[in-house]
Amino acid sequence: MSLDVTTEGDGICVLTLNDPERRNPLGHALRIELAAALSEAEADAAVRAVVLTGAGGHFCVGGDIRDQGERSASQHRERFAVIKDMVGRMVRFSKPLAVAVEGWAAGGGMALAMAAPLVVASREARFVASFTKIGLVPDMGLLTTLPMRVGPAKARRIILTNAPIKAEEAERIGMVETLSDPGAALQDAMALVDEEAKAAPLPRHFITDWFARGVDDALDFERQVQPQLLNSADAAEGRAAFFEKRAPVFTGT
């Protein structure tokens, strides 16, 4: 668990997921840390914009599967309250907010990227939903944020097939605003938010809030459904298959 917070350029706060050896998994503690960092950045008048990125050549491989062991439904719901807080802060962030993606954005990492208003990706970046591979529905708002970008039919196929999406395709279908040369996603994202920071703040706030409508419904749905799935036999099989590097055998139980 590690989130590095630095200030670059003219008041741009850079939040870096920093567990490069494991490709920056997004565990429960890191979600709490990220939500707090977003809250602080939003309240700090010296911060004009925020960019979220990952260390070590990858953005984020998603939720920490080692952190998904069995818990009671109420315990799972408590953890999803943290997700709702974190994603809610992202989709309604009152200042320019971008994600800079190098390498993989997988599962929760892809959902984290789609929760940002702006996404900049290296030409070598890859996106994959991967939730159903481990017996789960997408969470972190992806059931709403992805269709908002690519349309419902395309989003459904992306989620159900788990096919990796190359950066060029992601840009073509609307998942990504800007493509960058390898290693340049962060700098390009900083330039993008710097430009957007010149817009009038009050209209930007109301426009952002409008486009965030509907995400709350997805987050409430996740909090209701995902705890049941996390304790299912299929989810246990999905976790085992992941660690054993084999295809899962699901039974619908």
Side-chain angles (χ1 to χ4, degrees):
M1 175 197 73
S2 179
L3 180 71
D4 291 347
V5 182
T6 59
T7 301
E8 307 287 343
D10 184 14
I12 298 176
C13 177
V14 177
L15 306 177
T16 304
L17 308 177
N18 192 9
D19 188 356
E21 291 185 1
R22 297 200 297 144
R23 298 185 179 184
N24 309 315
L26 189 64
H28 180 67
L30 183 54
R31 292 173 186 138
I32 294 173
E33 197 174 355
L34 180 54
L38 289 166
S39 178
E40 291 173 12
E42 192 163 36
D44 188 345
V47 173
R48 297 172 59 244
V50 171
V51 176
L52 174 62
T53 192
H58 293 280
F59 177 57
C60 175
V61 293
D64 191 344
I65 294 181
R66 299 187 311 188
D67 195 31
Q68 292 181 357
E70 285 196 17
R71 294 179 174 85
S72 68
S74 62
Q75 288 173 323
H76 281 307
R77 283 193 292 270
E78 288 174 7
R79 292 164 75 87
F80 274 87
V82 171
I83 291 177
K84 183 174 182 177
D85 179 43
M86 180 192 70
V87 174
R89 291 183 186 279
M90 289 186 68
V91 298
R92 288 189 170 84
F93 201 68
S94 63
K95 300 174 182 181
L97 170 64
V99 163
V101 179
E102 301 277 354
W104 280 101
M110 176 175 160
L112 188 65
M114 295 298 98
L118 300 168
V119 182
V120 177
S122 158
R123 295 182 188 277
E124 295 181 348
R126 298 290 184 270
F127 298 83
V128 64
S130 71
F131 289 93
T132 60
K133 280 186 175 180
I134 54 172
L136 302 176
V137 297
D139 55 32
M140 293 175 53
L142 189 66
L143 286 171
T144 294
T145 57
L146 185 60
M148 286 171 60
R149 285 182 168 272
V150 306
K154 176 67 74 173
R156 182 180 184 276
R157 183 158 180 81
I158 289 170
I159 288 167
L160 289 177
T161 63
N162 296 301
I165 302 169
K166 295 181 179 180
E168 291 83 359
E169 174 69 4
E171 190 222 9
R172 187 185 70 79
I173 64 178
M175 291 174 62
V176 170
E177 273 69 47
T178 302
L179 294 182
S180 301
D181 291 333
L186 176 57
Q187 291 301 316
D188 288 349
M190 289 173 59
L192 191 62
V193 295
D194 184 64
E195 183 65 25
E196 188 169 295
K198 298 173 184 176
L202 290 177
R204 183 179 60 242
H205 167 73
F206 288 119
I207 291 166
T208 299
D209 189 65
W210 172 265
F211 281 107
R213 294 183 181 187
V215 178
D216 285 341
D217 289 340
L219 294 169
D220 288 338
F221 170 78
E222 296 162 11
R223 194 179 181 194
Q224 176 185 1
V225 171
Q226 201 80 302
Q228 301 174 50
L229 294 177
L230 282 163
N231 287 340
S232 69
D234 276 354
E237 164 64 7
R239 289 191 294 269
F242 175 85
F243 289 118
E244 294 166 13
K245 301 185 186 307
R246 60 174 174 80
V249 180
F250 294 128
T251 60
T253 59

